[in-house]
Structure formats: C-alpha cells, structure tokens
C-alpha cells in the first residue's frame, strides 16, 4: 500500500499515502471508495546563493518578484531550492488529489535519549531518523503539517505518512490492553509524536489578512489601475475607486475574520478529562494532552467528547447530531475483544466520535456509573477534525461556469491586447510622447478587463443564499448553489425522507418448521414464549431520566409488547444477584398484573447481559438474555428477513418464507425477522464474540410495521418528473417494500413495469450470473424484452424501471462492468444498500456525467451526501457538516425549492457576467473611438458611468427571485457556448454602430466645430464628439442591463424586481435630462459641450432607442434558438454527456434488457460509447 524507497537514494518524489480514516462519514480529503487516495510530494533543499539572488531580484523589481512567488509558490521553491531526496528535504512541494500545489516546511523535534524504548511493540526502526550533529547522534522526529494533519517521516517506507499510520494496525484486543493506562514518559513521547489534541482553526490577525487580501490578483490589478490613473491625472476617479476598494477590503476582512472566529469557536474544544495511568491512579488532565492509547474515564453524566475513542467498558447514550444531523440518540456498547483490526467505520456502534455529546454513561465504572474508553484519534485525525478541515479546505468544485469564467477573462485580455496595439498606433501617429504612449496603451487594459467581474458574479449566489436561509435551508458551500441549477438526477433515501420517520406495528406472525401461524395484530397478545421475549428484548432502547430513548422503530416494538424496561441502579449488584450474578445491562419485565386479571398466561422477566448493536453493513442486531437466577440463557437476533434467514438452520425456516416476505413487502410493509437459540448459561457473555452468537439460529417469525409515505413526497416527485429530472430511491430496506413505496410516491407509475436485476457473485461452486426478471412472475415467461418497450412511455420512450439490491449491485460492479452503466441508466430502486454502496452509487452516476443530488436524513447517508454534487440533509440542526445543505423542513419539499434557487442563481450569474463584460466593451469602444478623433473620456464621465450607472444596476440586477414552477429545461452552464459568445459579438457590433452613428450625426451638423488637432486627449475637452459618444454610451449602459436580464422560465419576470425597475426608470430619466436639458453647471462638472439644437438631441435619444430595440430583438431571437441554425451547418454531433449518448444507444437497442436469460461475464452484450 505504501510507496517504499531507500532514504539514501536519489529519489525525489514519493507518494504520501493517506490510510483509511475510519470516520463516520468520508470527507473530500479522504477516499470515498477506498484508501487508494494519495498526494505527490517532492523534496527540495535551500541553496544559499539562489536565496540571496532572489532577495536581490526582489529589491530590484520593487517587491514584484515576491508577489509572483506568493501567487505561484512552486516558482519560489524552484528559484531558491534544488531537488533532493525526501529524507534530506527542508521544503516539500505537494500536489494534492485535486491537482493544486502547496509548499510546506519540514519541521523537526529532538527526542530524548532512550525515549524510543517506551513505545513497546511499535517498530522503532520504522520511523527513527538519526543524523550526525556536532559528532553526537541525536534522534530527530521529522514531520510537516498540511491542512491540519501531521505527516511524519518513516525511514523504512521512505516517505512521509499520516501520523495515524502508527496506530492503524491496532486490533480490538490491543485496545483492551490500553485499559491499564499510559505512563507519564510514554504519554509525553506520544504527545511529541502525535501533537496536541486540538482542532485549531487559525484566526489570522488583521494585518496578515490585509496583506493576503491586498496581494489578491484582483486588488493588485486594482492598485496598478489606480496608479496608472493618478499618473494620467484622473485624480478624482482614482481616489473614488481607491475609497471603494478600501471599503470593500475592510468589509471582506471583517467577514473573513468573523467567519474564522465562528469556526474557531465551533472547532476548538478544550475541557478537563480524567485519564487512568499505568500506576492505577486516575488523573485529571487537559484534553489538549490526550494521545492515542490514553485510557479515558467517562463520568456518569457524560461529557462533550474531545477525541475519538473506542468504548471498552460500560454503555454510552450519545447525541451525534453535530456530525450526522440525526437527532435520535444512539446507544454505544463495548467493543468486542477480537483479534480483528480495529476500524471506527466498521465498529462505529462501539466508537465515540469527537464533538458528539455523551448524554449518559453507565455500567463501566465503580458503583455501576460511568464508562471507560481508549483514545484512538486526536486533533484533525478525528471525525470532527476531518469534517472541520473539509470546511476549511474544500475540494475545488468542478463546475463549467467557474472554469469558463477564467477562460472568458483571457478572451477579454486578448481584446485588450488588440485595443492596446490599436491605441499605440493612433497615439504614435498623433506625435504623442513616449510617456503618453505607454500610459494610454496600458489604460486600455484597465478598461477592457473589468477587475470587478469575479466579485459581480457572486451577487446572485448571495441573494439566493439569503432567500434559502429565510426558508429554513442552510448552506455551508455557497458556490454549490449554482451547481443546484444543473442537477439532472436526484437520489432519495426512503425511511425518514420519503416516508414517515415513525412506524406503527402492523402485526406479528410466528413461524417454524411446520409453517407460519395466524397473523397476530398486537404482539402483546402473543402467548409466552421466545417470540414475545425476543420482541421485548432485542433492542438498544435505554432510559434517560426515566424516559425510554432509542430508535423509533424499536420504541414502537417494545411499546407494542407492553413490557417495561428497568436499568441497574447504583452498582447494579441487586439485579446481578437476581439473575445469577451476570453483569446486567437492562431488565425487561412483562405486564404481569394487567394480563393476569384477564386470565392470560404471563412470561418471566429476563435480563439483557450483552448487546451487539444494529449495523447497516450487517443488517442485523442481537442480544444475549438470561432468566431469573441465571437458569437459562438465550440469544436473540433481529434484522432484515433475508439476513436473519441466512443465519438460521435451514430446517427451522418455513417453506413459505419467501412467499410471505414477498406478499408483505409488496404491500409496502417494513418486515423484520427474529430468531433465537439457547446458549450455555456458564459462558462469560461479556467476552463472547458476535460471530459465535449469530449463527445456527432457530427461526422465530416476522414482525410487520407500516411505514406511511409522507403526503408531500408524491407531489414533489411528480413535480421533478414533469421537469424531466430523474428520481431514484436508495434505501437499506427490502426491495419489494422499496418498490411499493416507489409506486406510492410516483417514482414508478401504475402502468409501468418493474424488472428486477439479480446478480450473483463468484463462489467456489458457481460462476457469476446476471438475470433480468419481471416483477409479475406469472407473466414473466410470456413476456419478451421487445414487448416491454410497448408498455407506455416513460422518460423518452421507456415504460419499465429496474430495481436492484445491494448484493446484486456489488456483484454487478465487480463482475459485469459492461452492464453497469446501462443498469444505472434505467434503475429507479436501489434496495438493501449499505452506506458505502450508497456512496459508490453516487460516484458511478457521476462517471456517467450526471449532476447528482442526494437527499437523506444524514444518518447512514453521510458519505453519499458529501459525495453528491448537491447533498441535502433533513435535519433540525441549523448547519450540519453532514452535507453542503441542511433543511429544517422534515420532507423533500426543500428539493424543488433548492433547484429553483440554483437555476435562478445560475441565470443571474450569467446575466451579471454578460453585463459586466458588455459594460467593459461599451467603455472600451468609446475610448478607442475618441482616441481615433484625438480626444478622450473625462475623469468625471468615467466616474458617473462606473458608479452611478453600472455599479448600482449590477447590485440590484440579481434581486429577482426564482420562478414558481420548475421548467423541464435546465439553464446553460457554459459561458463559451455559441449563444453566449454570439450574442456578445452581435451586441458589441450594435454598440460600435450606435456610437459611430452618434459621432457621424454630430459631425454632419451645420454647427459642428472640428477638434483642435494640435492637442490630444482630455486637453481637447469639452468637445462635441465626446459629448455625443458619452450620451449614447450612457443609454447603452442602462438598456444593456435590461437586455441581458432574463426572466422566464427560471426567474420571475422583470416586473417582480421592483427596485431594479425603479432604478432603471430613475437612471433613464437622469440620462435623458443630461442629454436634453443639462444646464451650464452640469456641463461644466461633466465637461460636456453645451449644444442648443433640440432636434439633434432628440435624434440622439432616438438612435439610443433604436439601438436598444435592435439589441432586445436580437437577444429574443437568440433565446429562441436562431443561432442553432449555424449548428446545422456542421451537422448534428453526439452529446458530450455520457448518459445522454447512452440513452440514445439504449433507445435503439430493443434487445436490452435481455429478459429470462442468465448471463455470465462471457456474454458481453456491450453497447459501446465511443
């Protein structure tokens, strides 16, 4: 797994492997599908003469070289360092998984002599790094810090590895060995290696923030522009822009520091905790000093956990809403003492995660209170640290709009270059001085490339974020709002998302070798026996201040039996004695008096002595119980019927099992199975392994629960379907139950068929197989795949849906990759999916170029929510880090709202981008036209256009809200598409023609007075040419805001944006007044030529109106697709999106899916996408 190399070789590049994090939910920096993620690292050493040369060059360039090094750190390293082996490096150049490069410094810590022997079983040679220093051998720890994580040098591996690699091989049994505690020297050494247990979000001082902000390319360009304007005597304009820039920087610094302080306070957790030392003494220490291996004593009243820890004694009731968004407390039980490798992901029901609130601890300390845990991770390696770092260092969003924005700026830069050459030639012919040549030519660059462009396009996102917050949807990643506008498929969890969270018990049916008994609607009416006892005991419900807490399903199940839960008090010895001196976790007592009064025989009280909590991956939970006096012991298991039946002895499972399960699941019932087996009462149940308990069981029966579909679900699914957005259900429930819910909420219409995809993996006895089977088995043989295509229309011609479960999905991915894309294209129901499979499904859909949305409750969906392009967690938390979006609404009605806001924001960003580009082009054309006739634009005229016209319009343009309906089409995301570039080109041509028309109309008048040809630029002001071009360009700034502002279908019509309309009316009136009746004072201030000919001035207004009319009509025609006729000339090309190409190919393949055929990996029915 690790890339090894000899540290004394000339190798300069290594892979820093990030071992599996074992967090409850993967983040952007951790692998989503496996531990194969890595970073490339190159080693460099300082070269003294190069360092001094760069310092001299920095002085000679007035610090500009340092700015370049700040923008491109890699250049700074290459200029001042030479390549060297990693083992000798002072500086590291890191390229992360997203391709971005970072420079970090290698740090060293000196370790005391003899300290390494304290590490015990650790392989000391693996990470010792010895160097000769003043002829004394000293042991140095070499490491670097990157995104909060510590990477240490491992000499034998020849690479830097995350510090967590030192404890990644710990087994569950090893963790129990740490119960005795660490000694003080050992703890100090580990603290030196692992670093402090802090999730420290740095809050930079204002001066450092100011320095970083000012060195932003945007502000450097702004500073360059202001300097240029000052030299060119544009004092008033330069001072105004400087003041605006200072205000902008101040607001930015305040907001940045405020957010840093908020995140710092949320992330930083320092409390006093109690740890056990190897002497047996307990010591109160700061949580900052905790290290992996520390034995943590948890008090009975609980605490806010400052680290990740494995529970080794007692039980804890934990609120994990900060991490998962799931508000239901979870019961954590002691880790099984097995030889298997410990992983917090697989052992999450035995792991306490950092940042979670421990509500109650019991059964692990003296007197029966408290619990004992062993620290497994600290600092940024913890679950909370990983999620905080995903906020601090988000993965770059691969969204075409943001990529095209950079390319478009380069296009404007090319336009500026052409303008610079043109102005240089004009000025040279006008006998301008060299100083004027340089200044005027560079001034063109500041006009053609608007420095405010990147800031302007975020306006729409800011307005959308505010609207979403007002409706209870919180966002921790604003750029993803625009991504919402391009979502093409939305995945939904079932329980708690599409259906109600709570379930009602529908009935119980006992089963055995003789078959199933009659359905019993109320479990409390069952006769005394294992089935009733199993229903009462097989759960993780616990008491908090006398009130039962736990999973809603289990609460309903226990309530339906009528049994009551009792937990040990004090040291619990009274209950232990009552049940044969076994360590009792809880006691379930039957409702004796009430039932005896009705003449119904009653059961005996039983004690729960061991719990194996529910696991999504295992699809089951189990408990061990003993009777009074410890006379008998029974193990009970509860879980998915398929899983429970597979763990039972075959002769105990009724023959009608499959048919009954099919019947109940088809009716939309949540079906659970129960089984049991007797155990040897002398066994030490606290050390019994789960695998030994959960095998050779005896089947007991089925528990059916009704899970109602939320009333909003069908409405929303229909809305998305009408908008041609594909919807998919991803659930851990039974496939037939999931299909029933899919039909109930409208994902599958009543006239559409469901085809089950059944794939089996490779076994010792059989080869992998793949089969497509119709839902209605009675008609399966009579139907062919050709007939399937005649069953009505769905999604452009398909009247069937595929349904697949988790096991088949895994086999399909492993053995039938050629069929996987086709199944993903047509599958609507994914059932019995584990959390990892949900994440993999999202990633596989993204490989088909889908923009994937995922909506879930945040519990078992964390990985999928974070992997999706748009993840929405239904949670009461205001801002959960389980997903980019958190909705307080308890149903999926937030999804269409989010998509509408995303589309509105994307359209607004498009409009603002085009407007800012056109504003630059209008000014660019004005300046070049006036340069041609040996004059220029006045300082105050620039100020008026930029501040009074453009800035005000740009601010309020984005205030229009989203349309009330979801339109079938999605807005475009490419700025370099033909309609965008075509419209900008045509509008620019109209702008030039409009300004030239104004100029030629002016020069053709009888009263026209030519310019003074002996002077150039603003020295010629006021003049008639500048006045006419200023008049028309002023109108162009205003009406272009109307032309590029789109309403229907993704935004509300223009008249809903009242502020924008009022501003347009005011500015149009102001501009008309400036053209028709300016007055001498205004003419003097704006340096306009006073023209008294009213007919001429009315003609200018008419030319502006005609210019607006032409541009508006052109824009309407472009929106209607008139430029698409140009595409016909090149011929129809296949879509760049893989799922669209695949859809076309599947439409032309009536033989797929091949019904009633068993396919093997050799039967390649391949549809090629190339």
């Amino acid at each position: 797994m690790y890339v090894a190399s000899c540290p004394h070789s000339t190798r300069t590049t290594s892979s820093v492997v990030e071992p599996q994090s074992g967090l409850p939910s993967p983040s952007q920096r951790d692998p989503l599908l496996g531990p194969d993620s890595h970073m490339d690292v190159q080693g460099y050493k300082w070269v003294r003469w190069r360092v001094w040369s760069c310092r001299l060059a920095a002085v000679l360039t007035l610090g500009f070289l340092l700015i370049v090094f700040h923008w491109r750190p890699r250049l700074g390293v290459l200029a001042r360092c030479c390549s060297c082996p990693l083992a000798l490096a002072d500086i590291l150049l890191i390229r992360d998984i997203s391709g971005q490069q970072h420079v970090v410094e290698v740090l060293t810590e000196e370790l005391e002599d003899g300290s390494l022997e304290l590490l015990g079983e650790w392989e000391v040679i693996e990470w010792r790094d010895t160097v000769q220093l003043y002829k004394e051998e000293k042991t140095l720890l070499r490491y670097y810090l990157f995104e909060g994580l510590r990477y240490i040098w491992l000499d034998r591996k020849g690479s830097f590895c995350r510090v967590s690699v030192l404890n990644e091989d710990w087994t569950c049994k090893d963790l129990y060995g740490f119960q005795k505690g660490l000694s003080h020297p050992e703890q100090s050494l580990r603290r030196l290696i692992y670093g402090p247990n802090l999730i420290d979000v740095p809050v930079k001082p204002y001066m450092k923030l100011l320095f970083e902000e000012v060195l932003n390319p945007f502000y450097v360009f702004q500073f360059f522009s202001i300097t240029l304007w000052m030299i060119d005597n544009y004092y008033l304009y330069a001072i105004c822009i400087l003041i605006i820039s200072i205000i902008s920087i101040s607001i930015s610094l305040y907001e940045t520091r405020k957010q840093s302080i908020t995140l710092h306070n949320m992330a930083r957790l320092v409390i006093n905790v109690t740890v056990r030392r190897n002497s047996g003494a307990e010591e109160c220490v700061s949580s900052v000093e905790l290290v992996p291996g520390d034995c943590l004593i948890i008090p009975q009243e609980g605490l806010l956990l400052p680290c990740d820890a494995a529970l080794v004694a007692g039980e804890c009731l934990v609120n994990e809403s900060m991490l998962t968004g799931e508000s239901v407390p979870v019961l954590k039980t002691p880790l099984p003492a097995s030889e298997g490798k410990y992983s917090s992901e697989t052992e999450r029901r035995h792991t306490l995660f950092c940042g979670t609130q421990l509500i109650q601890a019991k059964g692990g300390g003296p007197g029966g209170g408290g619990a004992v845990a062993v620290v497994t991770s600290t600092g940024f390696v913890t679950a909370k640290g990983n999620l905080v770092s995903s906020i601090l260092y988000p993965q770059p969003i691969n969204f075409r709009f943001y990529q095209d924005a950079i390319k478009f700026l380069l296009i404007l830069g090319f336009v500026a270059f052409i303008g610079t050459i043109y102005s240089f030639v004009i000025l040279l012919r006008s006998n301008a001085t060299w100083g004027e040549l340089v200044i005027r030519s560079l001034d063109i660059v500041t006009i053609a490339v608007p420095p405010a462009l990147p800031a302007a396009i975020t306006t729409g996102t800011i307005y959308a974020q505010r609207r979403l917050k007002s409706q209870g949807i919180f966002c921790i990643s604003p750029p993803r709002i625009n991504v919402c506008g391009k979502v093409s498929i939305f995945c939904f969890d079932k329980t708690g998302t599409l259906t109600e969270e709570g379930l009602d018990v529908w009935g119980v049916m006992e089963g055995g070798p003789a078959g199933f008994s009659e359905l019993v609607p109320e479990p409390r009416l069952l006769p005394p026996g294992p089935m009733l006892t199993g229903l009462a005991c097989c759960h993780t419900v616990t008491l908090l201040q006398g009130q039962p807490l736990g999973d809603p399903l289990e609460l309903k199940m226990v309530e339906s039996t009528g049994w009551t839960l009792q937990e040990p008090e004090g040291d619990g010895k009274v209950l232990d004695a009552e049940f044969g001196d076994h360590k009792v976790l809880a006691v379930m007592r039957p409702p004796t008096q009430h039932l005896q009064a009705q003449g119904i025989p009653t059961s005996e009280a039983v004690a729960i002595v061991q719990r194996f909590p529910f696991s999504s991956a295992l699809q089951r939970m189990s408990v061990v119980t003993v009777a009074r006096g410890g006379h008998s012991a029974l193990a009970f298991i509860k879980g998915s019927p398929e899983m429970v039946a597979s763990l039972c002895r075959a002769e105990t499972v009724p023959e009608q099992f499959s048919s009954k399960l099919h019947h109940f699941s088809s009716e939309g019932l949540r079906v659970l199975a129960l089984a049991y087996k007797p155990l040897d009462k002398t066994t030490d149940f606290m050390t019994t392994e789960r695998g030994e308990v959960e095998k050779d069981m005896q089947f007991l029966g089925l528990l059916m629960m009704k899970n109602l579909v939320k009333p909003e679900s069908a409405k929303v699914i229909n809305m998305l379907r009408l908008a041609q957005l594909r919807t998919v259900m991803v659930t851990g429930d039974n496939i037939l139950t999931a299909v029933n819910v899919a039909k109930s909420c409208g994902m599958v219409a009543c006239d559409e068929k469901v085809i089950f995809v059944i794939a089996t993996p490779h076994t010792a006895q059989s080869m992998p197989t793949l089969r497509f089977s119709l839902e209605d088995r009675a008609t399966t043989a009579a139907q062919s795949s050709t007939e399937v295509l005649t069953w009505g229309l769905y999604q452009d011609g398909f009247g069937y849906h595929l349904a697949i479960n988790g096991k088949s999905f895994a086999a399909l991915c492993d053995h039938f990759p050629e069929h996987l894309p086709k199944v993903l294209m047509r599958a609507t129901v994914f059932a019995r999916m584990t959390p990892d499979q949900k994440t993999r499904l999202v990633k596989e859909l993204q490989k088909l170029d889908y923009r994937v949305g995922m909506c879930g409750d945040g519990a078992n969906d964390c990985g999928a929510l974070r992997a999706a392009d748009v993840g929405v967690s239904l949670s009461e938390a205001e801002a959960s880090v389980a997903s980019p979006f958190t909705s307080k609404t308890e149903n999926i009605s937030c999804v269409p709202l989010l998509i509408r806001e995303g589309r509105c924001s994307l359209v607004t960003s498009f409009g603002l981008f085009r407007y800012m580009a056109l504003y630059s082009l209008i000014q660019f054309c004005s300046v070049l036209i006036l340069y041609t006739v040996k004059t220029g634009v006045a300082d105050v005229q620039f100020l008026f256009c930029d501040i009074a016209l453009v800035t005000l319009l740009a601010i309020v343009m984005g205030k229009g809200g989203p349309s009330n309906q979801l339109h079938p089409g999605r807005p475009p995301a490419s700025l370099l598409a033909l309609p965008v570039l075509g419209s900008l080109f045509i509008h620019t041509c109209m702008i030039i023609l409009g300004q030239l028309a104004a100029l030629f109309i002016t020069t053709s008048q009888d009263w026209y007075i030519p310019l003074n040809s002996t002077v150039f630029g603003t020295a010629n002001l006021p003049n008639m040419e500048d006045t006419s071009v200023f008049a028309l360009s002023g109108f162009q700034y205003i009406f272009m805001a109307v032309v590029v502002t789109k309403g229907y279908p993704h935004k509300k019509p223009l008249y809903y944006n009242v502020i924008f309309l009022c501003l347009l009316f005011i500015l149009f009136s102001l501009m008309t007044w400036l053209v028709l009746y300016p007055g001498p004072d205004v003419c003097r201030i704006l340096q306009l030529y006073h023209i008294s000919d009213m007919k001429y001035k009315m003609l200018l207004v008419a030319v502006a109106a005609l210019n607006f009319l032409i541009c508006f009509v052109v824009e309407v025609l472009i929106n209607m697709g008139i430029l698409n006729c140009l595409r016909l000339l090149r011929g129809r090309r296949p879509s760049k999106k893989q799922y669209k190409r695949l859809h076309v190919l599947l439409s032309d393949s009536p033989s797929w899916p091949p019904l009633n055929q068993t396919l093997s990996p050799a039967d390649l029915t391949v549809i090629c996408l190339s």
Side-chain angles (χ1 to χ4, degrees), residues 42 53 211 356 448 566 1112:
Q42 293 176 302
S53 298
F211 180 75
T356 59
Q566 179 189 353
F1112 187 80

PDB file of all heavy atoms in Angstrom, residues 42 53 211 356 448 566 1112:
ATOM      1  N   GLN A  42       7.394  16.253  -3.481  1.00  0.00           N
ATOM      2  CA  GLN A  42       8.759  16.390  -3.974  1.00  0.00           C
ATOM      3  C   GLN A  42       9.582  17.135  -2.927  1.00  0.00           C
ATOM      4  O   GLN A  42       9.102  18.092  -2.311  1.00  0.00           O
ATOM      5  CB  GLN A  42       8.781  17.162  -5.295  1.00  0.00           C
ATOM      6  CG  GLN A  42       8.116  16.419  -6.449  1.00  0.00           C
ATOM      7  CD  GLN A  42       8.081  17.253  -7.710  1.00  0.00           C
ATOM      8  OE1 GLN A  42       7.543  18.341  -7.725  1.00  0.00           O
ATOM      9  NE2 GLN A  42       8.661  16.732  -8.777  1.00  0.00           N
ATOM     10  N   SER A  53      20.225  35.600  -4.383  1.00  0.00           N
ATOM     11  CA  SER A  53      19.935  36.139  -5.728  1.00  0.00           C
ATOM     12  C   SER A  53      18.470  36.566  -5.821  1.00  0.00           C
ATOM     13  O   SER A  53      18.148  37.624  -6.387  1.00  0.00           O
ATOM     14  CB  SER A  53      20.230  35.083  -6.798  1.00  0.00           C
ATOM     15  OG  SER A  53      21.587  34.732  -6.783  1.00  0.00           O
ATOM     16  N   PHE A 211      -2.677  41.889   4.364  1.00  0.00           N
ATOM     17  CA  PHE A 211      -1.567  41.584   3.455  1.00  0.00           C
ATOM     18  C   PHE A 211      -2.004  40.566   2.396  1.00  0.00           C
ATOM     19  O   PHE A 211      -1.754  40.751   1.201  1.00  0.00           O
ATOM     20  CB  PHE A 211      -0.384  41.058   4.271  1.00  0.00           C
ATOM     21  CG  PHE A 211       0.822  40.710   3.440  1.00  0.00           C
ATOM     22  CD1 PHE A 211       1.639  41.701   2.918  1.00  0.00           C
ATOM     23  CD2 PHE A 211       1.131  39.379   3.177  1.00  0.00           C
ATOM     24  CE1 PHE A 211       2.737  41.373   2.148  1.00  0.00           C
ATOM     25  CE2 PHE A 211       2.238  39.052   2.406  1.00  0.00           C
ATOM     26  CZ  PHE A 211       3.047  40.048   1.894  1.00  0.00           C
ATOM     27  N   THR A 356     -19.190  14.798  19.639  1.00  0.00           N
ATOM     28  CA  THR A 356     -20.534  14.314  19.975  1.00  0.00           C
ATOM     29  C   THR A 356     -20.781  14.450  21.474  1.00  0.00           C
ATOM     30  O   THR A 356     -19.846  14.410  22.269  1.00  0.00           O
ATOM     31  CB  THR A 356     -20.727  12.849  19.544  1.00  0.00           C
ATOM     32  OG1 THR A 356     -19.754  12.028  20.193  1.00  0.00           O
ATOM     33  CG2 THR A 356     -20.572  12.703  18.053  1.00  0.00           C
ATOM     34  N   ALA A 448     -10.755  47.287 -20.657  1.00  0.00           N
ATOM     35  CA  ALA A 448     -11.293  46.097 -21.322  1.00  0.00           C
ATOM     36  C   ALA A 448     -11.467  44.917 -20.375  1.00  0.00           C
ATOM     37  O   ALA A 448     -12.352  44.084 -20.582  1.00  0.00           O
ATOM     38  CB  ALA A 448     -10.387  45.697 -22.477  1.00  0.00           C
ATOM     39  N   GLN A 566     -36.230  -1.790  32.784  1.00  0.00           N
ATOM     40  CA  GLN A 566     -35.622  -1.381  34.059  1.00  0.00           C
ATOM     41  C   GLN A 566     -34.114  -1.440  33.895  1.00  0.00           C
ATOM     42  O   GLN A 566     -33.575  -2.382  33.304  1.00  0.00           O
ATOM     43  CB  GLN A 566     -36.073  -2.319  35.201  1.00  0.00           C
ATOM     44  CG  GLN A 566     -35.447  -1.962  36.549  1.00  0.00           C
ATOM     45  CD  GLN A 566     -35.730  -3.021  37.611  1.00  0.00           C
ATOM     46  OE1 GLN A 566     -36.499  -3.967  37.373  1.00  0.00           O
ATOM     47  NE2 GLN A 566     -35.132  -2.877  38.780  1.00  0.00           N
ATOM     48  N   PHE A1112     -32.483  44.218 -28.169  1.00  0.00           N
ATOM     49  CA  PHE A1112     -33.520  43.448 -27.482  1.00  0.00           C
ATOM     50  C   PHE A1112     -34.083  42.364 -28.397  1.00  0.00           C
ATOM     51  O   PHE A1112     -34.242  41.203 -27.999  1.00  0.00           O
ATOM     52  CB  PHE A1112     -34.634  44.376 -27.000  1.00  0.00           C
ATOM     53  CG  PHE A1112     -35.657  43.699 -26.136  1.00  0.00           C
ATOM     54  CD1 PHE A1112     -35.406  43.468 -24.792  1.00  0.00           C
ATOM     55  CD2 PHE A1112     -36.871  43.274 -26.667  1.00  0.00           C
ATOM     56  CE1 PHE A1112     -36.338  42.826 -23.985  1.00  0.00           C
ATOM     57  CE2 PHE A1112     -37.813  42.639 -25.885  1.00  0.00           C
ATOM     58  CZ  PHE A1112     -37.544  42.416 -24.535  1.00  0.00           C
TER      59      PHE A1112
END
